[in-house]
Amino acid sequence: MLTLHDHPRSGNCYKVRLFLALIGMDYERRFMDVLARKNQTAEFERISAFQQIPALVDGDTALWDSHAILLHLAHHYAPAWLAPLPRIGAMHAWISVSANEIANSLQPLRLTHVVSKAEAAHHLGVDEALLDMPGMRRRTERVLRRMDQHLAAHDWLAGSDAPTVADIACYGYLALAEEAAIDLCAYPAIAAWRGRIQQLPGYVPPGA
């Protein structure tokens, strides 16, 4: 049995829960109260080296980082979610977009809207006075413009005929865009892509 340590409000945890639902995997879900710093223990550090969630225990293997977990699950249980060889580089490039561009724009912008400014600053590792929300919004809009341009020409991010791990990686926080006060009407190709993901068999919404 897989064990997932997660928090219901985390976009990174949602990516993993969504993927597990899409591939029909049973798992045990363990709530980790990161706001109360319950992840900052030596016991949890043995599972997640940087005390991060999500963290997945699969037999003798413990993994952290949502993208590493998605790739582990795909390689071991759902290889159809890996891009065909000609598109494998594109798949990994878009996973990198999730881990870098989205993680440094939409993800922190949304955090400043769903928790207090002091809590957001703590999780982002900066002083509250240094929270640059206008900068986060500019970076978010830049990322979304580029994604929208790409998705206007491709149904799925890797350019393959079916969704891949890259789509789930990027969808996690795009599913929560409204919580960052982002109006996706300005990004019709992203909105259509979100609709395609929501129609996939087994789909579960954020918070489920």
Side-chain angles (χ1 to χ4, degrees), residues 3-10 13 17 27-39 44 53-55:
T3 301
L4 176 66
H5 299 261
D6 86 330
H7 190 285
R9 297 302 303 277
S10 165
C13 291
R17 294 197 308 274
Y27 65 99
E28 178 185 353
R29 185 175 174 185
R30 293 189 182 174
F31 172 70
M32 178 60 68
D33 191 351
V34 293
L35 297 180
R37 318 287 194 262
K38 296 299 185 181
N39 56 314
F44 188 61
I53 58 168

Side-chain angles (χ1 to χ4, degrees), residues 5 34 36 39 42 45 53 55 57 59 64 90-91 93 117 150 164 171 195 203 206:
H5 299 261
V34 293
N39 56 314
E45 190 174 337
I53 58 168
V57 177
W64 69 96
M91 182 189 79
K117 299 297 187 295
H150 179 76
T164 69
Y171 180 77
Y203 175 84

